Amino acid sequence: MRRPPRIVFLTAALAALALWVVLDSRSRTGSSEMTAPVLPARPAMQGAAIANADGARLELPSRSAPGALKQDPFRTESWRPAAQAPRRRPAPVAPPLPFRYVGRVYVGAGSMVFIKQGAKLLVIRKGDTLDGNYLVESVGPTEVVFLYRPSRTRQTLRIGAPLEGARPAS
């Protein structure tokens, strides 16, 4: 039975390596006895002293007592950035009233107020909604109160005092 050439080659290489290690170790030491290295002399230090086989003293350096820890070494840390508080967008501010007072008409027990928005003439009563944003909250003898819905802000439009002899709105 023939062995594959790879196994023969590896076996021969392993044998050669083992032979080289054995011969090299004998040539370096000259003898099979091992000796401890000689350490240079050190100044006397506090601590325990130990003598080795050659009689040289080996000393352990002294250490100072550990101080108090500045922080807990077992605390948990996160590498994620700190969460920032969500920024609140400022509430929408009501724009200046786009209305101008034109006049008032008393009808029956109530009254109607005429206002102008740009070129449009509007007739308003309490509870009307203008442009989808302004709600007429109240119509008084000297003012009209609007609620700007997006910011829930109340705005007042001053109107002239009623004429003498005119019936006030009820």
Side-chain angles (χ1 to χ4, degrees), residues 44-129:
M45 301 175 81
Q46 295 176 355
I50 300 174
N52 70 357
D54 294 339
R57 282 180 66 125
L58 302 176
E59 295 183 10
L60 297 175
S62 66
R63 295 187 178 161
S64 61
L69 295 175
K70 294 181 181 175
Q71 44 188 315
D72 181 17
F74 301 106
R75 74 182 188 283
T76 58
E77 284 190 29
S78 174
W79 296 100
R80 294 181 181 162
Q84 296 178 354
R87 294 181 182 172
R88 286 189 168 182
R89 292 175 27 188
V93 179
L97 276 173
F99 310 115
R100 286 189 344 203
Y101 174 70
V102 176
R104 167 182 272 178
V105 174
Y106 293 101
V107 178
S111 67
M112 294 185 298
V113 175
F114 294 91
I115 60 173
K116 195 169 187 182
Q117 180 183 13
K120 294 190 291 187
L121 182 64
L122 304 170
V123 179
I124 61 169
R125 294 184 187 166
K126 180 181 177 182
D128 289 348
T129 301

Side-chain angles (χ1 to χ4, degrees), residues 34-42 52-58:
M34 299 285 290
T35 59
V38 178
L39 298 175
R42 290 188 186 176
N52 70 357
D54 294 339
R57 282 180 66 125
L58 302 176

